[in-house]
Amino acid sequence: MRSTLRLLASVKPARYLEPFAPTGLTGLNTHPSPRPTLIYLYTSTLQKLKAFPESSAYRQSTEALTRHRLQIIESTKPPGFDAWLERVKKTVAEHPNQFAALRQADGSYAAQLLDDNSDNPRGEEWDGEAVEPTTEGPARTPEQQARWDQIVEDASGVAQAAEVFRKDMKLDNLREELKWENEPALEADQISEIEKQIGAGLIEEVIQVAEGELKLVDTLYHSKAWEELEEKPKPGQWTYFERKTE
């Protein structure tokens, strides 16, 4: 039913869903890159669940559900995926230091969706820069900034400061030249099939649930929900929740 709402929200069916177009659900727009987003969320959740005891009922149930959904997502590859993956591996291999900060625990790489929505699989490309954007001057790592500050303090190091600045600018120019090619987009039929297999509404709703689960993992870990209750329940307190048998 909800998949029908998405179709009704679009003027005419297309091979690809239009990013940020209405889905038919109020306040929920079409996600520009659902596949890599869900893979990142699911792998991050599974990684954090490893900190829970294996006996934890929450870990067991959440791992099973997350692995099942991750398998569905990973098994559905967009057209041109293999060729894209080879190009990305080549880029990362040629510039490992520039992409090191974005390397995940499982060996994959994750880009970020910027506030201006520039991480669009059919729009602008992410430039691979890992540091936060600044409003003035070239972006530097903390180590580079520390070296620069030390040199500026030394009045006799003017020539050396110029050399460091030149190297920083060279590094910045290299970052500007690097372009991260976004993963090819899933076709509309592929997204519909994923939604059918998961059975939890539109893929955008699935993403919202995955985001909430990732936050919940942190909350339950910090509260150590697997430990015994400090205040034991009174005899018969939970009796009415038990299934009655004859």
Side-chain angles (χ1 to χ4, degrees):
M1 176 61 184
R2 292 184 176 179
S3 297
T4 304
L5 291 176
R6 186 199 295 275
L7 295 176
L8 292 176
S10 178
V11 177
K12 57 181 179 180
R15 180 182 178 185
Y16 295 99
L17 298 177
E18 182 181 353
F20 310 110
T23 61
L25 296 178
T26 302
L28 191 63
N29 294 329
T30 300
H31 198 282
S33 51
R35 185 179 185 275
T37 298
L38 282 172
I39 290 177
Y40 170 76
L41 291 172
Y42 287 150
T43 54
S44 298
T45 297
L46 291 172
Q47 184 65 28
K48 290 186 176 183
L49 283 172
K50 293 180 180 179
F52 285 64
E54 293 184 0
S55 59
S56 168
Y58 171 74
R59 171 179 174 174
Q60 294 172 5
S61 60
T62 305
E63 273 187 339
L65 178 62
T66 303
R67 291 186 189 280
H68 171 67
R69 294 188 173 184
L70 178 61
Q71 188 277 327
I72 293 175
I73 297 297
E74 288 184 326
S75 63
T76 307
K77 298 179 180 180
F81 176 84
D82 293 335
W84 166 83
L85 186 59
E86 290 302 317
R87 293 194 298 271
V88 167
K89 287 182 178 179
K90 181 179 179 181
T91 300
V92 173
E94 292 175 349
H95 309 283
N97 295 333
Q98 280 66 41
F99 295 102
L102 298 173
R103 185 180 177 87
Q104 304 300 303
D106 63 351
S108 62
Y109 291 81
Q112 298 176 347
L113 182 64
L114 303 180
D115 293 337
D116 60 359
N117 296 321
S118 60
D119 188 17
N120 186 330
R122 289 173 291 280
E124 298 179 18
E125 294 179 328
W126 173 64
D127 62 5
E129 187 171 356
V131 297
E132 294 293 331
T134 57
T135 56
E136 297 181 2
R140 302 188 182 90
T141 64
E143 293 77 10
Q144 292 173 332
Q145 186 63 45
R147 284 192 298 133
W148 175 259
D149 292 340
Q150 181 61 41
I151 293 173
V152 170
E153 292 178 2
D154 187 355
S156 62
V158 176
Q160 187 178 1
E163 176 64 17
V164 172
F165 184 79
R166 184 188 65 78
K167 291 181 179 179
D168 286 350
M169 290 298 295
K170 182 178 180 180
L171 177 60
D172 293 332
N173 291 335
L174 175 61
R175 284 172 174 163
E176 291 178 357
E177 293 173 359
L178 290 177
K179 294 294 183 181
W180 180 271
E181 181 183 355
N182 293 312
E183 180 179 302
L186 290 170
E187 295 180 333
D189 290 342
Q190 291 179 304
I191 292 179
S192 296
E193 181 60 28
I194 289 175
E195 293 171 344
K196 180 180 178 180
Q197 291 186 52
I198 293 180
L202 299 182
I203 199 167
E204 287 78 11
E205 295 178 280
V206 175
I207 291 175
Q208 287 184 332
V209 172
E211 291 172 340
E213 194 70 66
L214 185 57
K215 294 179 180 178
L216 180 60
V217 170
D218 287 331
T219 301
L220 293 182
Y221 177 76
H222 290 303
S223 65
K224 300 185 184 301
W226 60 86
E227 294 183 349
E228 292 289 336
L229 295 174
E230 293 183 2
E231 296 183 9
K232 302 297 181 180
K234 297 179 180 179
Q237 180 174 344
W238 307 114
T239 302
Y240 53 89
F241 284 116
E242 296 178 359
R243 177 180 297 181
K244 294 182 179 181
T245 58
E246 296 181 358

